[in-house]
Amino acid sequence: PAYGTLSDYQFMRRHTNSAVRKEKAITAWGASLSSVDDIKKVFEKYCKGEIEMFPWAEVTNVHRETKGILTQILAAISKGYLTINSQPQVNGKPSSDSEVGWGGSGGYVYQKAYIEFFVAPDKLQSLTDEFASNPTITYMAVNSKGDIKSNQEFTQVNAVTWGAFPGKEIV
């Protein structure tokens, strides 16, 4: 497969539940996360680079491109939107750019800004109410039961990253 197998991801590896990993997690996050504020602090510390271990991250620090939107991400976390993935808007930066570049040489990259997060159901409802007046925002939400809420058809594609490279189709 293009992205490897499930065992290539840290949360699918056998050692994920090892005593060593649990001890590292306790050191990074604390022995007990008993409130939403405790959990928010873990998210904030990871985004600020104060801890390196985070359940939803494959890297020990946030990506360089995140630094440009870090203030907004920290503000979202403080309001209870616990971010696990995001990217800034990019409009035609060279593929060689040190923060957002990718792909072959001589290309240009584009990104829609997006944010992926955990949120309480009541906060989700207030967001979707706001989104109703802004048709340029696309959202998809799923709860632990698998119930999906979205403002786009499930068969629609929502590209968030693409690039134009010499002699190639848009990828």
Side-chain angles (χ1 to χ4, degrees), residues 82-96:
L82 305 177
T83 63
I84 57 172
N85 196 1
S86 60
Q87 73 180 24
Q89 176 184 351
V90 174
N91 191 13
K93 289 255 184 161
S95 58
S96 59

Side-chain angles (χ1 to χ4, degrees), residues 136-147:
T136 64
I137 295 177
T138 304
Y139 71 88
M140 180 177 286
V142 62
N143 65 18
S144 61
K145 296 176 190 169
D147 301 325

Side-chain angles (χ1 to χ4, degrees), residues 60-87:
T60 56
N61 294 305
V62 295
H63 291 280
R64 281 184 291 207
E65 73 174 6
T66 304
K67 291 184 179 18
I69 57 173
L70 188 56
T71 301
Q72 293 92 332
I73 289 172
L74 292 171
I77 292 169
S78 74
K79 293 176 183 173
Y81 303 99
L82 305 177
T83 63
I84 57 172
N85 196 1
S86 60
Q87 73 180 24

Side-chain angles (χ1 to χ4, degrees), residues 3-18 20-22 24-25 29 46 52-61 63 83-85 118:
Y3 297 100
T5 64
L6 284 177
S7 62
D8 291 337
Y9 294 93
Q10 77 277 8
F11 25 75
M12 298 300 285
R13 295 182 190 143
R14 284 189 194 141
H15 72 276
T16 299
N17 290 322
S18 74
V20 171
R21 180 161 170 82
K22 285 181 184 176
K24 285 181 181 179
W29 309 329
Y46 177 75
E52 294 183 344
M53 187 178 191
F54 197 61
W56 300 277
E58 297 176 25
V59 294
T60 56
N61 294 305
H63 291 280
T83 63
I84 57 172
N85 196 1
F118 296 115

Side-chain angles (χ1 to χ4, degrees), residues 99-115:
E99 289 189 7
V100 296
W102 57 272
S105 61
Y108 294 91
V109 297
Y110 301 82
Q111 295 180 172
K112 286 183 188 176
Y114 81 82
I115 185 168

